[in-house]
C-alpha cells in the first residue's frame, strides 16, 4: 500500500487507513435522544403464552388474592404461581393481567421467561416501553450497562403503576443470576413456574395451582364443546383426564372442531380407553397456528425433564418412567427405598432424582396417612407412551420387584395396614402396563398376596376388588388355566363369602376347584386350599354334609402332604371343630390327650394367628357340646385377645364376643348376654352393613336374648 490516501468518502461517510493493526470502536447516536420501541419481540403489552380461557373456572380463592394484589395502591410484592405443566398457571396469569389493565388501570407487561434469550429480550422491551432511550438500550445490549439495572430503573420511574408477568419461569437460576427478579414500589410482579422449591423464590408469596374440581372441570368442557354432551358426561370425561386444564382444553378443542363426523363426549370417552389416548388428547391442538411443546400433552413435560438433564439429574427421567409403571394414586415413599431400585436408578441417586421431579412439579409429596409421592394420571400416561419399548420390560420388572419386597410373603392377620391399601391400585397399574409373561406372573403373585393381606385385616371389599380386577387383567395375558390366575379367582371367592354373597362365592370357588383338580390333581396344595375354602359358603347355603366332606378331605390331604404340624393342617383341624356332627365332635374333643389349642401353641407359638383361631373354634365346640361353664371362660379370654391384637371391629373379635354372649346366656346371665350382643350387632352393622347376613343374624340373636331376659324378669 502506498503512503497516499487510496479511499474516498461521500456525504457523512468516513475512511480509515492504517499501516499497522488498529482496533476502532464507534458509537453512533443519530437524531434526537428519545424513547423507541424495542423490535426484538412482537409485544410486551399482550400475553403471549398459552390460550386465553373462555371463562376461568374455579380458582376462586386464588383469584380473590390476586385481584387484591393488583388493586389501586398495592405494589412492591412478587407473587409466584407454581404447579405442574398444563395445570393452568398461564390462564390464571392472563386473567389477572386482564383485570389489572382494565379494572386496575395498570400498565400490563408480559415477558416470556422460558430461557435467557427470551427473558433478556422481553425485559429490555419492558425498559423501552417504560421510557428507556435508544442509547441506553444499545449500551445494555452491548454489555456496556447492566441490563437488569436499566429495566428496574425504568420500572421504578414509571408514571403509571404496572403488572409485570414473567411467564414460564421454569429456570429460576437465570432470574437470580441476572438480577432480573425484584420488587418495586411502582408495581406488582407475577411469576408462573413449574419450580416449586421455596429456595428459588425468596421474599415472594407462593400459590400452588393444581387440577380443577370436578364440576368446574366439566364446565370447561361444556364451555368449549357445548353441543357434544351433558354436564354429567363432561364430568366423566374430566375425571378420565384427571381434571387437568390443558387436557380439558385439548379435549374440548378436539370435540368442537369435528365437522365431517362430529363426536359426542360419550364417543370421545370410549376412545380414551385405548393405548393411544394421549395422542388422542393432543389432536385437540391441531387448530393452533403453530405447534408449541407447552400446548401438547405428549411434549409439555419433556421440557422439565430436559431441564433436569441439563442440570445433571438425568436419573429423574428414569425415576419418572418407573413411577409411570404404577398408578396415579398416592404411592408410599418407602417403596422407593429398596435395593431393587438400583436396576433403574442407583439407590444413592434416587433421592436426588425425586427432588428434581418435585422441584419441577412433575410429582408431589402428599400425606395419605403415610408419606407418599403422587403423580398426575395424564402425565404418567404421557411418560409411559413416550418410553422406548426396549426399556419397558426392565422398568416393569423393577416395579414388580419393588412391590414384591413391600408385600409380605405370608400375610398375617392383624389390624389394617394403610400401606397395603395404598399399594392396591399400583399393582393393578403395573399389571396393565406389563407385557412380558414373567413380569405379569410376578406382579400377579404380588396382587394375590396383597389381596390376601387385605382380607386378613378385614378389608374384604378391597380384597375382592383387587383380586377380581387382577384376574380380569391377567387372564388374557397368561391364560385362564394359569395357576396364579386361578389363585386370584379363589381370593375373589373367599372375599365374596366374607361380604355375605354366599351364592357368588360358592360358584367361583366351585369352578376354581374343578379347574385345580383337573390341572393339578387332588393332592396339590392349591386343590387342598379349594377343598378348605368352599366349605364356608356351602355351610351357609345349607349344604353342610358336602362342606364337611370337602373340609375333611382338605384336612387329611394337608396332613399327608404338608405334615401334621403345618399351620394349614392345624387350621383345617380347627375348622372341623365347628362343623363336625355332635357325636364325632365329642370324640374329637375328648379323644385327644392334648387339646388342639395347646397343640397349635406347641407347633406355632401362643400368639400365632392359627393358635388364636383354634382357641375360638375350640370354645365354639364346647358350646356345641353344651359345656357352657368351660366355654364361657375360653370365649371371654379369646375375645379379649382378639380385641387386643386386632381391634374391636375385627370380624373374629366380634365372632368371639358373640360366642361369649351365647355362653353367658346359656348360663342364665341374660343381662350381660344382651349387653354384649347389642355391641356385636351394632359393630357388625357398622363394619359389614345392615344387609349383611351376619348383621341380620346378630340382631335376631339379640331379640331372642331380650325376649328370654324379659321372660326371666316376669318370672
Amino acid at each position: 500500500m502506498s503512503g497516499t490516501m487510496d479511499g474516498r468518502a461521500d456525504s457523512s461517510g468516513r475512511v480509515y487507513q492504517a499501516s499497522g493493526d488498529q482496533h476502532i470502536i464507534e458509537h453512533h447516536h443519530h437524531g434526537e435522544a428519545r424513547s423507541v420501541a424495542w423490535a426484538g419481540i412482537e409485544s410486551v403489552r399482550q400475553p403471549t403464552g398459552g390460550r386465553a380461557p373462555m371463562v376461568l373456572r374455579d380458582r376462586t380463592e386464588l383469584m380473590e388474592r390476586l385481584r387484591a394484589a393488583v388493586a389501586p395502591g398495592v405494589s412492591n410484592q412478587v407473587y409466584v404461581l407454581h404447579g405442574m405443566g398444563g395445570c393452568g398457571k398461564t390462564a390464571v396469569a392472563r386473567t389477572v393481567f386482564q383485570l389489572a389493565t382494565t379494572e386496575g388501570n395498570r400498565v400490563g407487561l408480559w415477558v416470556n421467561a422460558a430461557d435467557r434469550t427470551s427473558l433478556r429480550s422481553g425485559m429490555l422491551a419492558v425498559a423501552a416501553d417504560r421510557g428507556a432511550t435508544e442509547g441506553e438500550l444499545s449500551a445494555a445490549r452491548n454489555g456496556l450497562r447492566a441490563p437488569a439495572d436499566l429495566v428496574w430503573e425504568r420500572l421504578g420511574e414509571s408514571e403509571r403503576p404496572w403488572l409485570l408477568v414473567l411467564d414460564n419461569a421454569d429456570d429460576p437460576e437465570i432470574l437470580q443470576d441476572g438480577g432480573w427478579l425484584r420488587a418495586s414500589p411502582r408495581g406488582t410482579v407475577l411469576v408462573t413456574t413449574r419450580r416449586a422449591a421455596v429456595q428459588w423464590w425468596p421474599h415472594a408469596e407462593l400459590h400452588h395451582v393444581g387440577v380443577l374440581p370436578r364440576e368446574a372441570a366439566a364446565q370447561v368442557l361444556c364451555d368449549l364443546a357445548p353441543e357434544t354432551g351433558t354436564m354429567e358426561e363432561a364430568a366423566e370425561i374430566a375425571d378420565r383426564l384427571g381434571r387437568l386444564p390443558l387436557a380439558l382444553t385439548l379435549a374440548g378443542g378436539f370435540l368442537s372442531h369435528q365437522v365431517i363426523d362430529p363426536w359426542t363426549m360419550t364417543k370421545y370417552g370410549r376412545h380414551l380407553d385405548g393405548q393411544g389416548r394421549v395422542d388422542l388428547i393432543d389432536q385437540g391442538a391441531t387448530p393452533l397456528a403453530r405447534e408449541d411443546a407447552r400446548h401438547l400433552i405428549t411434549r409439555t413435560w419433556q421440557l422439565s425433564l430436559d431441564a433436569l438433564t441439563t442440570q445433571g439429574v438425568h436419573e429423574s427421567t428414569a425415576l419418572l418412567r418407573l413411577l409411570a409403571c404404577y398408578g396415579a394414586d398416592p404411592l408410599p415413599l418407602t417403596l422407593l427405598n429398596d435395593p431393587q431400585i438400583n436396576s433403574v436408578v442407583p439407590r444413592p441417586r434416587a433421592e436426588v432424582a425425586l427432588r428434581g421431579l418435585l422441584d419441577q412439579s412433575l410429582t408431589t409429596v402428599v400425606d395419605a396417612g403415610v408419606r407418599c409421592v403422587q403423580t398426575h394420571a395424564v402425565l404418567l400416561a404421557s411418560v409411559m407412551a413416550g418410553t422406548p419399548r426396549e426399556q419397558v420390560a426392565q422398568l416393569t420388572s423393577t416395579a414388580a420387584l419393588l412391590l414384591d419386597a413391600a408385600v409380605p410373603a405370608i400375610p398375617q392377620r392383624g389390624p389394617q395396614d394403610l400401606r397395603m391399601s395404598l399399594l392396591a391400585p399400583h399393582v393393578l397399574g403395573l399389571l396393565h402396563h406389563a407385557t412380558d409373561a414373567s413380569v405379569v406372573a410376578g406382579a400377579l403373585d404380588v396382587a394375590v398376596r396383597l389381596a390376601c393381606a387385605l382380607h386378613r385385616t378385614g378389608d374384604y371389599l378391597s380384597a375382592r376388588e383387587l383380586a377380581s380386577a387382577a384376574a380380569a387383567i391377567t387372564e388374557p395375558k397368561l391364560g385362564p388355566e394359569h395357576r396364579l390366575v386361578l389363585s386370584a379367582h379363589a381370593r375373589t371367592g373367599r372375599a365374596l363369602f366374607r361380604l355375605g354373597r354366599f351364592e357368588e362365592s360358592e360358584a367361583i370357588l366351585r369352578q376354581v376347584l374343578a379347574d385345580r383338580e383337573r390341572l393339578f390333581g387332588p393332592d396339590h396344595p392349591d386343590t387342598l386350599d379349594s377343598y378348605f375354602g368352599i366349605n364356608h359358603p356351602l355351610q351357609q347355603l345349607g349344604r353342610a354334609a358336602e362342606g364337611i366332606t370337602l373340609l375333611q378331605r382338605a384336612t387329611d390331604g394337608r396332613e399327608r402332604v404338608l405334615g401334621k404340624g403345618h399351620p394349614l393342617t392345624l387350621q383345617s383341624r380347627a375348622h372341623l371343630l365347628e362343623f363336625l356332627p355332635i357325636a364325632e365332635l365329642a370324640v374329637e374333643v375328648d379323644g385327644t390327650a392334648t387339646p388342639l389349642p395347646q397343640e397349635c401353641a406347641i407347633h406355632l407359638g401362643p400368639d400365632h394367628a392359627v393358635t388364636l383361631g383354634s382357641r375360638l373354634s375350640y370354645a365354639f365346640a364346647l358350646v356345641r357340646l353344651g359345656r357352657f361353664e368351660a366355654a364361657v371362660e375360653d370365649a371371654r379370654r379369646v375375645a379379649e385377645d382378639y380385641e387386643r391384637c386386632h381391634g374391636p371391629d375385627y370380624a373374629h373379635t366380634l365372632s368371639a364376643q358373640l360366642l361369649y354372649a351365647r355362653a353367658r346366656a346359656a348360663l342364665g346371665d341374660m343381662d350381660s348376654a344382651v349387653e354384649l350382643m347389642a355391641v356385636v350387632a351394632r359393630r357388625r352393622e357398622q363394619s359389614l352393613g345392615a344387609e349383611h347376613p351376619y348383621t341380620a343374624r346378630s340382631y335376631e340373636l339379640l331379640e331372642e336374648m331380650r325376649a328370654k331376659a324379659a321372660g326371666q324378669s316376669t318370672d
Side-chain angles (χ1 to χ4, degrees):
M1 181 179 286
S2 68
T4 60
M5 181 74 74
D6 294 329
R8 297 289 186 270
D10 292 327
S11 186
S12 301
R14 304 180 189 182
V15 174
Y16 296 91
Q17 183 169 322
S19 60
D21 294 334
Q22 303 289 323
H23 182 66
I24 300 171
I25 298 176
E26 281 199 278
H27 298 282
H28 297 271
H29 303 281
H30 301 285
E32 180 185 355
R34 57 185 173 86
S35 174
V36 295
W38 167 241
I41 60 174
E42 295 177 359
S43 174
V44 291
R45 287 295 190 100
Q46 294 294 328
T48 56
R51 290 191 253 182
M54 296 178 63
V55 180
L56 187 69
R57 295 295 177 183
D58 192 58
R59 315 299 192 195
T60 306
E61 293 183 8
L62 176 58
M63 285 306 303
E64 287 180 359
R65 180 70 190 97
L66 296 177
R67 183 188 293 270
V70 295
V74 179
S75 62
N76 210 33
Q77 181 61 275
V78 177
Y79 299 87
V80 175
L81 305 179
H82 65 90
M84 65 183 292
C87 67
K89 304 180 294 295
T90 297
V92 173
R94 278 178 167 272
T95 306
V96 177
F97 189 93
Q98 182 70 16
L99 289 172
T101 55
T102 56
E103 300 179 12
N105 193 31
R106 291 179 181 243
V107 175
L109 303 165
W110 189 285
V111 173
N112 178 17
D115 55 66
R116 293 181 187 276
T117 301
S118 298
L119 174 66
R120 180 185 176 86
S121 298
M123 291 298 274
L124 287 177
V126 165
D129 185 277
R130 293 295 83 208
T133 66
E134 183 183 3
E136 289 173 324
L137 293 170
S138 178
R141 289 195 296 271
N142 291 318
L144 301 177
R145 179 171 183 177
D149 290 344
L150 172 63
V151 173
W152 285 99
E153 179 182 305
R154 290 292 172 242
L155 285 171
E157 295 174 355
S158 175
E159 294 181 0
R160 289 177 58 192
W162 43 262
L163 169 69
L164 172 61
V165 176
L166 300 176
D167 191 31
N168 300 324
D170 300 329
D171 190 0
E173 294 95 331
I174 67 176
L175 293 176
Q176 292 185 348
D177 293 346
W180 292 109
L181 182 60
R182 309 180 191 182
S184 170
R186 293 301 298 148
T188 298
V189 181
L190 181 62
V191 181
T192 72
T193 181
R194 303 181 185 194
R195 304 292 289 275
V198 177
Q199 70 192 56
W200 299 120
W201 314 111
H203 314 300
E205 184 176 303
L206 274 66
H207 295 276
H208 177 254
V209 181
V211 299
L212 292 169
R214 190 171 195 260
E215 183 177 350
Q219 190 61 61
V220 169
L221 282 175
C222 291
D223 290 341
L224 295 168
E227 305 299 327
T228 59
T230 65
M231 272 291 289
E232 185 53 39
E233 290 169 337
E236 292 177 3
I237 297 297
D239 286 341
R240 303 276 295 284
L241 297 174
R243 308 195 305 277
L244 183 71
L246 175 59
L248 296 169
T249 300
L250 292 173
F254 177 88
L255 289 168
S256 64
H257 285 84
Q258 299 303 300
V259 179
I260 297 176
D261 181 21
W263 283 27
T264 63
M265 290 185 186
T266 300
K267 183 176 181 179
Y268 189 87
R270 288 199 301 268
H271 281 76
L272 282 176
D273 292 330
Q275 291 295 318
R277 65 170 179 151
V278 177
D279 292 331
L280 171 62
I281 297 170
D282 274 348
Q283 290 181 38
T286 53
L288 292 174
R290 61 186 179 85
E291 189 178 89
D292 185 338
R294 293 180 184 274
H295 300 159
L296 298 174
I297 288 293
T298 49
R299 293 175 58 192
T300 182
W301 295 298
Q302 190 60 44
L303 297 173
S304 298
L305 293 173
D306 290 345
L308 287 168
T309 299
T310 300
Q311 296 164 24
V313 194
H314 63 276
E315 296 92 350
S316 290
T317 298
L319 180 58
L320 187 58
R321 287 173 175 171
L322 178 64
L323 294 176
C325 296
Y326 299 125
D329 296 84
L331 177 73
L333 277 167
T334 53
L335 192 78
L336 305 179
N337 190 27
D338 187 275
Q340 298 289 355
I341 202 172
N342 281 322
S343 58
V344 171
V345 180
R347 193 176 179 188
R349 294 287 293 174
E351 177 74 23
V352 176
L354 180 58
R355 284 204 305 268
L357 296 178
L358 293 170
D359 187 39
Q360 289 283 348
S361 298
L362 290 169
T363 192
T364 185
V365 172
V366 298
D367 184 357
V370 297
R371 292 180 71 248
C372 295
V373 62
Q374 186 168 20
T375 313
H376 194 278
V378 175
L379 190 161
L380 293 175
S382 174
V383 170
M384 180 55 71
T387 299
R389 181 170 297 181
E390 62 272 15
Q391 295 183 20
V392 172
Q394 178 63 60
L395 289 165
T396 53
S397 175
T398 301
L401 291 172
L402 291 172
L403 287 169
D404 180 72
V407 178
I410 303 177
Q412 299 298 316
R413 299 191 185 278
Q416 290 193 11
D417 185 343
L418 181 58
R419 289 173 299 176
M420 295 297 103
S421 300
L422 290 170
L423 291 179
H426 300 293
V427 175
L428 295 178
L430 177 58
L431 288 172
H432 276 294
H433 292 305
T435 55
D436 183 86
S438 63
V439 176
V440 174
L444 180 56
D445 180 67
V446 174
V448 171
R449 283 162 32 215
L450 182 56
C452 181
L454 294 170
H455 184 109
R456 290 178 179 177
T457 65
D459 190 357
Y460 307 120
L461 181 60
S462 295
R464 195 272 301 175
E465 290 174 345
L466 173 59
S468 177
I473 296 168
T474 56
E475 189 167 306
K477 298 182 178 185
L478 299 176
E481 295 184 344
H482 193 281
R483 174 177 172 268
L484 288 168
V485 172
L486 293 175
S487 295
H489 285 306
R491 289 255 52 104
T492 302
R494 299 279 277 270
L496 284 169
F497 167 75
R498 285 294 179 184
L499 291 169
R501 295 159 62 175
F502 303 136
E503 292 85 357
E504 295 174 72
S505 172
E506 188 269 341
I508 290 176
L509 292 177
R510 186 172 292 281
Q511 182 61 56
V512 172
L513 172 57
D515 290 338
R516 283 174 165 174
E517 279 186 320
R518 175 173 54 85
L519 294 168
F520 312 137
D523 286 336
H524 191 278
D526 288 1
T527 308
L528 297 174
D529 182 72
S530 284
Y531 293 145
F532 174 84
I534 200 172
N535 166 66
H536 296 84
L538 289 174
Q539 294 292 334
Q540 298 297 325
L541 293 171
R543 290 146 67 182
E546 182 184 3
I548 292 170
T549 298
L550 293 173
L551 179 57
Q552 186 67 64
R553 191 178 299 173
T555 306
D556 295 342
R558 283 175 166 177
E559 184 170 341
R560 183 173 58 256
V561 174
L562 302 176
K564 188 173 183 179
H566 193 279
L568 294 178
T569 304
L570 296 170
Q571 180 192 47
S572 297
R573 289 179 57 195
H575 279 251
L576 276 173
L577 297 178
E578 301 180 27
F579 304 113
L580 285 174
I582 294 297
E584 295 180 37
L585 179 62
V587 173
E588 181 69 23
V589 170
D590 297 330
T592 56
T594 304
L596 182 59
Q598 293 183 25
E599 189 175 347
C600 290
I602 292 171
H603 287 287
L604 307 175
D607 296 327
H608 195 281
V610 171
T611 302
L612 200 57
S614 71
R615 289 171 55 197
L616 177 58
S617 297
Y618 193 81
F620 185 66
L622 294 177
V623 169
R624 293 182 64 205
L625 292 170
R627 303 174 186 180
F628 302 116
E629 292 286 354
V632 71
E633 187 61 22
D634 283 0
R636 180 185 66 80
R637 289 178 178 173
V638 75
E640 290 175 351
D641 288 343
Y642 265 121
E643 183 168 2
R644 173 178 53 81
C645 294
H646 305 311
D649 296 318
Y650 190 64
H652 289 69
T653 302
L654 296 176
S655 295
Q657 289 175 340
L658 184 149
L659 185 63
Y660 182 41
R662 286 182 57 186
R664 294 201 70 86
L667 293 174
D669 188 358
M670 298 309 303
D671 290 339
S672 295
V674 168
E675 183 179 353
L676 283 167
M677 200 63 230
V679 171
V680 171
R682 184 177 69 253
R683 285 185 171 160
R684 274 187 166 169
E685 183 175 9
Q686 292 171 346
S687 59
L688 299 176
E691 305 301 320
H692 196 285
Y694 287 0
T695 303
R697 179 55 182 157
S698 296
Y699 277 112
E700 290 174 4
L701 286 173
L702 176 59
E703 291 307 313
E704 292 174 9
M705 290 178 182
R706 282 174 173 166
K708 290 180 180 179
Q712 280 185 350
S713 62
T714 56
D715 293 342

